[in-house]
mmCIF file of all heavy atoms in Angstrom:
data_model
loop_
_atom_site.group_PDB
_atom_site.id
_atom_site.type_symbol
_atom_site.label_atom_id
_atom_site.label_comp_id
_atom_site.label_asym_id
_atom_site.label_seq_id
_atom_site.Cartn_x
_atom_site.Cartn_y
_atom_site.Cartn_z
ATOM 1 N N ALA Q 1 -20.263 -17.948 2.810
ATOM 2 C CA ALA Q 1 -20.232 -16.562 3.305
ATOM 3 C C ALA Q 1 -20.341 -15.621 2.113
ATOM 4 O O ALA Q 1 -20.019 -15.983 0.984
ATOM 5 C CB ALA Q 1 -18.934 -16.299 4.062
ATOM 6 N N PRO Q 2 -20.798 -14.412 2.352
ATOM 7 C CA PRO Q 2 -20.874 -13.464 1.240
ATOM 8 C C PRO Q 2 -19.482 -13.117 0.716
ATOM 9 O O PRO Q 2 -18.486 -13.178 1.438
ATOM 10 C CB PRO Q 2 -21.547 -12.234 1.855
ATOM 11 C CG PRO Q 2 -21.448 -12.397 3.322
ATOM 12 C CD PRO Q 2 -21.270 -13.854 3.600
ATOM 13 N N THR Q 3 -19.438 -12.771 -0.545
ATOM 14 C CA THR Q 3 -18.173 -12.401 -1.171
ATOM 15 C C THR Q 3 -17.684 -11.093 -0.566
ATOM 16 O O THR Q 3 -18.448 -10.152 -0.389
ATOM 17 C CB THR Q 3 -18.363 -12.236 -2.697
ATOM 18 O OG1 THR Q 3 -18.837 -13.466 -3.224
ATOM 19 C CG2 THR Q 3 -17.075 -11.860 -3.375
ATOM 20 N N SER Q 4 -16.402 -11.049 -0.243
ATOM 21 C CA SER Q 4 -15.814 -9.812 0.264
ATOM 22 C C SER Q 4 -14.696 -9.392 -0.675
ATOM 23 O O SER Q 4 -14.164 -10.198 -1.434
ATOM 24 C CB SER Q 4 -15.277 -10.012 1.681
ATOM 25 O OG SER Q 4 -14.216 -10.935 1.665
ATOM 26 N N SER Q 5 -14.366 -8.124 -0.628
ATOM 27 C CA SER Q 5 -13.285 -7.633 -1.480
ATOM 28 C C SER Q 5 -12.366 -6.749 -0.656
ATOM 29 O O SER Q 5 -12.759 -6.186 0.365
ATOM 30 C CB SER Q 5 -13.849 -6.875 -2.681
ATOM 31 O OG SER Q 5 -14.634 -5.794 -2.250
ATOM 32 N N GLN Q 6 -11.141 -6.652 -1.115
ATOM 33 C CA GLN Q 6 -10.124 -5.878 -0.415
ATOM 34 C C GLN Q 6 -9.376 -5.041 -1.445
ATOM 35 O O GLN Q 6 -8.898 -5.567 -2.444
ATOM 36 C CB GLN Q 6 -9.178 -6.840 0.301
ATOM 37 C CG GLN Q 6 -8.191 -6.197 1.212
ATOM 38 C CD GLN Q 6 -7.324 -7.246 1.902
ATOM 39 O OE1 GLN Q 6 -6.661 -8.033 1.235
ATOM 40 N NE2 GLN Q 6 -7.351 -7.254 3.214
ATOM 41 N N ARG Q 7 -9.288 -3.731 -1.185
ATOM 42 C CA ARG Q 7 -8.590 -2.825 -2.087
ATOM 43 C C ARG Q 7 -7.107 -2.805 -1.708
ATOM 44 O O ARG Q 7 -6.754 -2.555 -0.565
ATOM 45 C CB ARG Q 7 -9.165 -1.423 -1.984
ATOM 46 C CG ARG Q 7 -8.518 -0.413 -2.895
ATOM 47 C CD ARG Q 7 -9.141 0.955 -2.729
ATOM 48 N NE ARG Q 7 -10.573 0.937 -2.943
ATOM 49 C CZ ARG Q 7 -11.155 1.004 -4.142
ATOM 50 N NH1 ARG Q 7 -10.419 1.074 -5.221
ATOM 51 N NH2 ARG Q 7 -12.466 1.000 -4.250
ATOM 52 N N ARG Q 8 -6.259 -3.078 -2.682
ATOM 53 C CA ARG Q 8 -4.813 -3.063 -2.445
ATOM 54 C C ARG Q 8 -4.159 -2.021 -3.345
ATOM 55 O O ARG Q 8 -4.584 -1.799 -4.474
ATOM 56 C CB ARG Q 8 -4.218 -4.435 -2.708
ATOM 57 C CG ARG Q 8 -4.757 -5.463 -1.742
ATOM 58 C CD ARG Q 8 -4.023 -6.737 -1.818
ATOM 59 N NE ARG Q 8 -4.643 -7.711 -0.910
ATOM 60 C CZ ARG Q 8 -4.229 -8.935 -0.791
ATOM 61 N NH1 ARG Q 8 -3.217 -9.363 -1.497
ATOM 62 N NH2 ARG Q 8 -4.826 -9.743 0.042
ATOM 63 N N LEU Q 9 -3.126 -1.414 -2.805
ATOM 64 C CA LEU Q 9 -2.408 -0.362 -3.519
ATOM 65 C C LEU Q 9 -0.928 -0.698 -3.560
ATOM 66 O O LEU Q 9 -0.371 -1.202 -2.595
ATOM 67 C CB LEU Q 9 -2.558 0.981 -2.798
ATOM 68 C CG LEU Q 9 -3.927 1.387 -2.266
ATOM 69 C CD1 LEU Q 9 -3.791 2.609 -1.383
ATOM 70 C CD2 LEU Q 9 -4.858 1.673 -3.413
ATOM 71 N N ILE Q 10 -0.306 -0.389 -4.659
ATOM 72 C CA ILE Q 10 1.151 -0.409 -4.745
ATOM 73 C C ILE Q 10 1.575 1.040 -4.615
ATOM 74 O O ILE Q 10 1.145 1.884 -5.407
ATOM 75 C CB ILE Q 10 1.655 -0.990 -6.081
ATOM 76 C CG1 ILE Q 10 1.056 -2.367 -6.357
ATOM 77 C CG2 ILE Q 10 3.174 -1.011 -6.117
ATOM 78 C CD1 ILE Q 10 1.458 -3.437 -5.387
ATOM 79 N N VAL Q 11 2.379 1.341 -3.585
ATOM 80 C CA VAL Q 11 2.783 2.717 -3.322
ATOM 81 C C VAL Q 11 4.297 2.825 -3.314
ATOM 82 O O VAL Q 11 5.011 1.847 -3.048
ATOM 83 C CB VAL Q 11 2.218 3.235 -1.984
ATOM 84 C CG1 VAL Q 11 0.697 3.260 -2.005
ATOM 85 C CG2 VAL Q 11 2.712 2.413 -0.807
ATOM 86 N N ALA Q 12 4.783 4.027 -3.600
ATOM 87 C CA ALA Q 12 6.215 4.327 -3.552
ATOM 88 C C ALA Q 12 6.395 5.570 -2.691
ATOM 89 O O ALA Q 12 5.583 6.499 -2.759
ATOM 90 C CB ALA Q 12 6.764 4.554 -4.950
ATOM 91 N N PHE Q 13 7.442 5.565 -1.893
ATOM 92 C CA PHE Q 13 7.720 6.713 -1.039
ATOM 93 C C PHE Q 13 9.210 6.767 -0.723
ATOM 94 O O PHE Q 13 9.951 5.822 -0.985
ATOM 95 C CB PHE Q 13 6.896 6.651 0.260
ATOM 96 C CG PHE Q 13 7.151 5.439 1.105
ATOM 97 C CD1 PHE Q 13 8.024 5.490 2.180
ATOM 98 C CD2 PHE Q 13 6.502 4.240 0.845
ATOM 99 C CE1 PHE Q 13 8.253 4.390 2.966
ATOM 100 C CE2 PHE Q 13 6.722 3.132 1.635
ATOM 101 C CZ PHE Q 13 7.598 3.200 2.690
ATOM 102 N N ARG Q 14 9.620 7.876 -0.158
ATOM 103 C CA ARG Q 14 11.002 8.059 0.261
ATOM 104 C C ARG Q 14 11.036 8.035 1.781
ATOM 105 O O ARG Q 14 10.275 8.727 2.444
ATOM 106 C CB ARG Q 14 11.549 9.388 -0.266
ATOM 107 C CG ARG Q 14 13.045 9.548 -0.045
ATOM 108 C CD ARG Q 14 13.563 10.769 -0.771
ATOM 109 N NE ARG Q 14 13.277 10.698 -2.201
ATOM 110 C CZ ARG Q 14 14.165 10.325 -3.129
ATOM 111 N NH1 ARG Q 14 15.375 10.025 -2.778
ATOM 112 N NH2 ARG Q 14 13.824 10.289 -4.391
ATOM 113 N N THR Q 15 11.942 7.232 2.332
ATOM 114 C CA THR Q 15 12.060 7.131 3.782
ATOM 115 C C THR Q 15 12.758 8.366 4.340
ATOM 116 O O THR Q 15 13.314 9.171 3.585
ATOM 117 C CB THR Q 15 12.855 5.871 4.192
ATOM 118 O OG1 THR Q 15 14.180 5.981 3.666
ATOM 119 C CG2 THR Q 15 12.185 4.611 3.679
ATOM 120 N N ALA Q 16 12.748 8.502 5.656
ATOM 121 C CA ALA Q 16 13.361 9.665 6.304
ATOM 122 C C ALA Q 16 14.856 9.742 6.024
ATOM 123 O O ALA Q 16 15.422 10.840 5.972
ATOM 124 C CB ALA Q 16 13.116 9.613 7.809
ATOM 125 N N ASP Q 17 15.510 8.598 5.815
ATOM 126 C CA ASP Q 17 16.946 8.619 5.528
ATOM 127 C C ASP Q 17 17.258 8.671 4.033
ATOM 128 O O ASP Q 17 18.397 8.516 3.614
ATOM 129 C CB ASP Q 17 17.644 7.429 6.186
ATOM 130 C CG ASP Q 17 17.130 6.087 5.700
ATOM 131 O OD1 ASP Q 17 16.202 6.058 4.875
ATOM 132 O OD2 ASP Q 17 17.657 5.053 6.161
ATOM 133 N N GLY Q 18 16.235 8.909 3.201
ATOM 134 C CA GLY Q 18 16.441 9.153 1.768
ATOM 135 C C GLY Q 18 16.360 7.946 0.865
ATOM 136 O O GLY Q 18 16.587 8.065 -0.340
ATOM 137 N N ARG Q 19 16.035 6.774 1.389
ATOM 138 C CA ARG Q 19 15.915 5.586 0.538
ATOM 139 C C ARG Q 19 14.557 5.548 -0.134
ATOM 140 O O ARG Q 19 13.555 5.932 0.451
ATOM 141 C CB ARG Q 19 16.080 4.307 1.366
ATOM 142 C CG ARG Q 19 17.459 4.115 1.939
ATOM 143 C CD ARG Q 19 17.540 2.821 2.720
ATOM 144 N NE ARG Q 19 16.722 2.966 3.932
ATOM 145 C CZ ARG Q 19 16.148 1.972 4.574
ATOM 146 N NH1 ARG Q 19 16.275 0.734 4.139
ATOM 147 N NH2 ARG Q 19 15.428 2.186 5.657
ATOM 148 N N ASP Q 20 14.527 5.080 -1.384
ATOM 149 C CA ASP Q 20 13.258 4.873 -2.076
ATOM 150 C C ASP Q 20 12.707 3.509 -1.675
ATOM 151 O O ASP Q 20 13.449 2.535 -1.581
ATOM 152 C CB ASP Q 20 13.458 4.921 -3.592
ATOM 153 C CG ASP Q 20 13.737 6.328 -4.090
ATOM 154 O OD1 ASP Q 20 13.262 7.289 -3.451
ATOM 155 O OD2 ASP Q 20 14.439 6.480 -5.105
ATOM 156 N N ALA Q 21 11.404 3.453 -1.423
ATOM 157 C CA ALA Q 21 10.782 2.206 -0.999
ATOM 158 C C ALA Q 21 9.461 2.019 -1.717
ATOM 159 O O ALA Q 21 8.804 2.990 -2.110
ATOM 160 C CB ALA Q 21 10.562 2.214 0.517
ATOM 161 N N ARG Q 22 9.092 0.764 -1.885
ATOM 162 C CA ARG Q 22 7.788 0.392 -2.438
ATOM 163 C C ARG Q 22 7.135 -0.587 -1.491
ATOM 164 O O ARG Q 22 7.806 -1.380 -0.846
ATOM 165 C CB ARG Q 22 7.939 -0.278 -3.807
ATOM 166 C CG ARG Q 22 8.217 0.672 -4.909
ATOM 167 C CD ARG Q 22 8.194 -0.059 -6.220
ATOM 168 N NE ARG Q 22 8.482 0.898 -7.277
ATOM 169 C CZ ARG Q 22 7.986 0.834 -8.475
ATOM 170 N NH1 ARG Q 22 7.190 -0.165 -8.802
ATOM 171 N NH2 ARG Q 22 8.278 1.732 -9.371
ATOM 172 N N ALA Q 23 5.818 -0.531 -1.444
ATOM 173 C CA ALA Q 23 5.081 -1.448 -0.577
ATOM 174 C C ALA Q 23 3.695 -1.687 -1.149
ATOM 175 O O ALA Q 23 3.166 -0.869 -1.909
ATOM 176 C CB ALA Q 23 4.975 -0.868 0.831
ATOM 177 N N GLU Q 24 3.135 -2.824 -0.768
ATOM 178 C CA GLU Q 24 1.739 -3.126 -1.095
ATOM 179 C C GLU Q 24 0.952 -2.903 0.184
ATOM 180 O O GLU Q 24 1.256 -3.491 1.214
ATOM 181 C CB GLU Q 24 1.611 -4.571 -1.548
ATOM 182 C CG GLU Q 24 0.198 -4.966 -1.866
ATOM 183 C CD GLU Q 24 0.097 -6.410 -2.326
ATOM 184 O OE1 GLU Q 24 1.039 -6.900 -2.966
ATOM 185 O OE2 GLU Q 24 -0.925 -7.032 -2.023
ATOM 186 N N VAL Q 25 -0.030 -2.018 0.137
ATOM 187 C CA VAL Q 25 -0.820 -1.696 1.318
ATOM 188 C C VAL Q 25 -2.295 -1.956 1.041
ATOM 189 O O VAL Q 25 -2.731 -1.967 -0.099
ATOM 190 C CB VAL Q 25 -0.611 -0.227 1.779
ATOM 191 C CG1 VAL Q 25 0.835 0.032 2.123
ATOM 192 C CG2 VAL Q 25 -1.093 0.755 0.751
ATOM 193 N N VAL Q 26 -3.033 -2.163 2.116
ATOM 194 C CA VAL Q 26 -4.478 -2.371 2.039
ATOM 195 C C VAL Q 26 -5.139 -1.084 2.508
ATOM 196 O O VAL Q 26 -4.711 -0.483 3.486
ATOM 197 C CB VAL Q 26 -4.906 -3.555 2.924
ATOM 198 C CG1 VAL Q 26 -6.412 -3.710 2.917
ATOM 199 C CG2 VAL Q 26 -4.227 -4.823 2.471
ATOM 200 N N SER Q 27 -6.171 -0.654 1.802
ATOM 201 C CA SER Q 27 -6.855 0.575 2.181
ATOM 202 C C SER Q 27 -8.353 0.429 1.979
ATOM 203 O O SER Q 27 -8.812 -0.277 1.079
ATOM 204 C CB SER Q 27 -6.343 1.738 1.336
ATOM 205 O OG SER Q 27 -7.062 2.907 1.623
ATOM 206 N N ARG Q 28 -9.102 1.123 2.827
ATOM 207 C CA ARG Q 28 -10.558 1.170 2.661
ATOM 208 C C ARG Q 28 -10.958 2.340 1.779
ATOM 209 O O ARG Q 28 -12.097 2.429 1.351
ATOM 210 C CB ARG Q 28 -11.229 1.305 4.026
ATOM 211 C CG ARG Q 28 -11.052 0.108 4.910
ATOM 212 C CD ARG Q 28 -11.666 0.373 6.230
ATOM 213 N NE ARG Q 28 -11.139 1.648 6.725
ATOM 214 C CZ ARG Q 28 -10.901 1.933 7.974
ATOM 215 N NH1 ARG Q 28 -11.171 1.071 8.890
ATOM 216 N NH2 ARG Q 28 -10.414 3.093 8.342
ATOM 217 N N HIS Q 29 -10.050 3.280 1.554
ATOM 218 C CA HIS Q 29 -10.367 4.465 0.770
ATOM 219 C C HIS Q 29 -10.128 4.206 -0.719
ATOM 220 O O HIS Q 29 -9.208 3.480 -1.081
ATOM 221 C CB HIS Q 29 -9.518 5.650 1.227
ATOM 222 C CG HIS Q 29 -9.752 6.018 2.659
ATOM 223 N ND1 HIS Q 29 -10.946 6.521 3.118
ATOM 224 C CD2 HIS Q 29 -8.946 5.934 3.745
ATOM 225 C CE1 HIS Q 29 -10.858 6.739 4.423
ATOM 226 N NE2 HIS Q 29 -9.656 6.387 4.828
#
């Protein structure tokens, strides 16, 4: 199959209750 690629981001944000969080997300942008 042709080679495919996926863009991944490490992001940080604050939750509604004030906790700091980090996550790895996939994005097309």
Side-chain angles (χ1 to χ4, degrees):
T3 301
S4 65
S5 59
Q6 188 178 58
R7 181 180 304 277
R8 296 190 183 178
L9 316 170
I10 306 295
V11 297
F13 60 97
R14 189 171 302 260
T15 62
D17 61 358
R19 293 181 291 153
D20 288 331
R22 283 186 181 213
E24 178 180 327
V25 300
V26 176
S27 176
R28 294 177 308 214
H29 299 294

